[in-house]
Amino acid sequence: MLVLFLGILTGIYWAWMSRIREKTALETEYNKKIAEVKMAAFRSHMNPHFMFNSLNSINQFIVKMEPQKASEYLSKFSRLMRQVLSNSTSQLVNLEADIEALSLYLDMEGLRFGDKFDYEIKIEKDIDGKDCLVPPLLIQPYVENAIWHGIMPLDGGGRLMVRVSMLGEQIKISIEDNGIGRVKSLKINKN
């Protein structure tokens, strides 16, 4: 009788533990899917707004009779959109591809705003951009924010520096600009 009772208790315990493991696995999968959706939404943020502004810029170059600039901008725009679309299904891309997309974006913004700012991207020598994986368009939204809220209110002479370095086993990406600063930017945006 005691053996039967212990057998039933053991069976209940294993069924209970199995349900807990199943619930944990479902929660983990759910959280993973939520993170993927958030990342996809974050990446898609660039597309509509940026695409509209880019096409508008190409149109302005055409209207101003600057076909060389329109052609250069359109070429960079098409390469960037190809990268964005091909990377949009990937959770991770190599750092080299993300930096290439960032460079295209910065070149386009530089063409669009003339001599308003210049930029530099520095990557430590010991970082292999092909082996290092990052989420696609990881850096671009922060750089866009630095340009639009920090540098654009300046009259000119804007500088943007993107540095990629190692911090122990992790990659450190820093974005520095000589813009107006967060406090002034908040005041301007508030008005």
Side-chain angles (χ1 to χ4, degrees), residues 1-186:
M1 189 68 145
L2 182 61
V3 172
L4 180 62
F5 179 71
L6 286 175
I8 291 172
L9 273 178
T10 302
I12 292 171
Y13 172 77
W14 285 109
W16 181 63
M17 289 302 291
S18 177
R19 291 194 74 199
I20 287 176
R21 279 191 289 267
E22 187 178 305
K23 183 180 176 187
T24 303
L26 284 172
E27 285 178 2
T28 302
E29 184 64 27
Y30 175 77
N31 288 336
K32 183 180 173 188
K33 291 289 183 193
I34 292 289
E36 288 173 10
V37 168
K38 283 182 180 178
M39 185 57 80
F42 187 63
R43 280 180 276 178
S44 70
H45 168 76
M46 176 185 174
N47 290 340
H49 178 73
F50 179 70
M51 287 173 66
F52 174 80
N53 287 340
S54 295
L55 293 172
N56 216 9
S57 294
I58 294 166
N59 185 52
Q60 287 300 311
F61 288 134
I62 292 169
V63 168
K64 291 179 183 177
M65 303 298 255
E66 298 179 73
Q68 186 62 36
K69 281 187 177 180
S71 177
E72 184 180 351
Y73 196 94
L74 185 58
S75 175
K76 289 179 186 299
F77 176 72
S78 64
R79 285 178 37 215
L80 179 59
M81 286 302 104
R82 171 182 262 172
Q83 268 196 311
V84 167
L85 291 172
S86 68
N87 292 342
S88 67
T89 58
S90 304
Q91 288 186 355
L92 297 172
V93 297
N94 65 41
L95 177 65
E96 188 175 87
D98 202 51
I99 294 293
E100 183 181 338
L102 178 65
S103 294
L104 286 168
Y105 169 77
L106 285 165
D107 287 348
M108 291 171 63
E109 291 293 66
L111 274 170
R112 188 165 141 199
F113 297 113
D115 295 329
K116 191 86 170 170
F117 74 96
D118 53 353
Y119 74 90
E120 187 175 353
I121 299 174
K122 287 188 176 181
I123 302 172
E124 272 186 4
K125 293 176 187 170
D126 58 333
I127 295 176
D128 185 355
K130 291 181 180 172
D131 288 338
C132 184
L133 299 176
V134 295
L137 294 178
L138 174 69
I139 309 167
Q140 186 274 333
Y142 298 103
V143 167
E144 180 178 358
N145 199 45
I147 293 169
W148 282 95
H149 301 289
I151 294 175
M152 281 301 118
L154 296 174
D155 290 330
R159 289 274 309 142
L160 182 73
M161 170 67 74
V162 178
R163 294 178 204 268
V164 183
S165 58
M166 292 301 293
L167 186 62
E169 293 291 315
Q170 298 178 345
I171 295 176
K172 176 184 174 187
I173 301 170
S174 62
I175 301 162
E176 302 167 23
D177 66 74
N178 67 339
I180 62 171
R182 289 184 175 165
V183 174
K184 274 188 175 179
S185 179
L186 282 172

